[in-house]
Amino acid sequence: MEDAAISAGFLRVAGVDEVGRGPLAGPVTAAAVVLDPGFIPDGLNDSKKLSITKRTYLADILMEHADVSIAHASVEEIDTHNILRASHIAMCRALAGLKRPPDHVLVDGSMIPRDLAIPAQAVIKGDARCLSISAASIVAKNCRDRLMVDLAQQHPGYGWETNMGYGSKSHMSALQNLGVTPHHRRSFKPVHNILYQGKNIRY
């Protein structure tokens, strides 16, 4: 798809993707990537289909050889706006952080962020169909996973180092027994229900 955009006259094409829309805790993270046409790593694919070892390896390569920007939307922004809007905020921030602005953007999914002023194309399942979106998916997931591992050290017991904030059985049990942390998304129903039941909040 990058080739089609370049053939249409766009010279600097970025792929953008987000990770972390589904978890009950942690930010949503987006990455924007402009690949170097002379150095495209082998094995780029949807980050969910890669092993941790392969994903980490590719993320490191991309950080060295591509123009990469990573950004987040906070739990507070997720709760204020909704997860879709927060995802788009993170995408726009990631694009704004590139070393040089792209002149065309390939966006994973069916919707283009409303605040995006750059010509863009939405690509459904783009993380499996488009190299630059695949690269963005890999970088974003690698970054967010590391962030959740760090947060797990601050808030032990929720299993974030393995469930990455998703509502696994162990995470749900911890929510019931340990309460809601500042990193939980209060607008998400399982967390909201526990708060409504009057459980304690952890700080």
Side-chain angles (χ1 to χ4, degrees), residues 21-67:
R21 282 178 61 166
L24 305 180
V28 61
T29 301
V33 176
V34 178
L35 291 168
D36 177 355
F39 191 93
I40 298 178
D42 292 332
L44 292 180
N45 201 342
D46 178 356
S47 63
K48 298 183 291 296
K49 297 180 180 178
L50 300 174
S51 68
I52 295 175
T53 300
K54 182 68 170 178
R55 188 169 61 241
T56 301
Y57 167 77
L58 287 170
D60 289 343
I61 292 290
L62 289 164
M63 293 299 293
E64 183 177 355
H65 293 282
D67 186 358

Side-chain angles (χ1 to χ4, degrees), residues 126-163:
D127 47 9
R129 299 173 54 202
C130 175
L131 289 176
S132 59
I133 294 178
S134 297
S137 169
I138 289 165
V139 172
K141 181 163 177 55
N142 191 61
C143 176
R144 189 181 186 280
D145 282 1
R146 288 180 174 177
L147 185 152
M148 293 308 296
V149 169
D150 289 343
L151 288 179
Q153 308 308 308
Q154 302 173 31
H155 298 276
Y158 296 88
W160 293 343
E161 67 276 14
T162 55
N163 63 46

Side-chain angles (χ1 to χ4, degrees), residues 27-30 70-74 77 86 89-91 93-94 140 143-144 147:
V28 61
T29 301
I70 304 168
H72 309 278
S74 68
E77 289 173 314
I89 289 170
M91 286 182 174
R93 285 175 179 160
C143 176
R144 189 181 186 280
L147 185 152

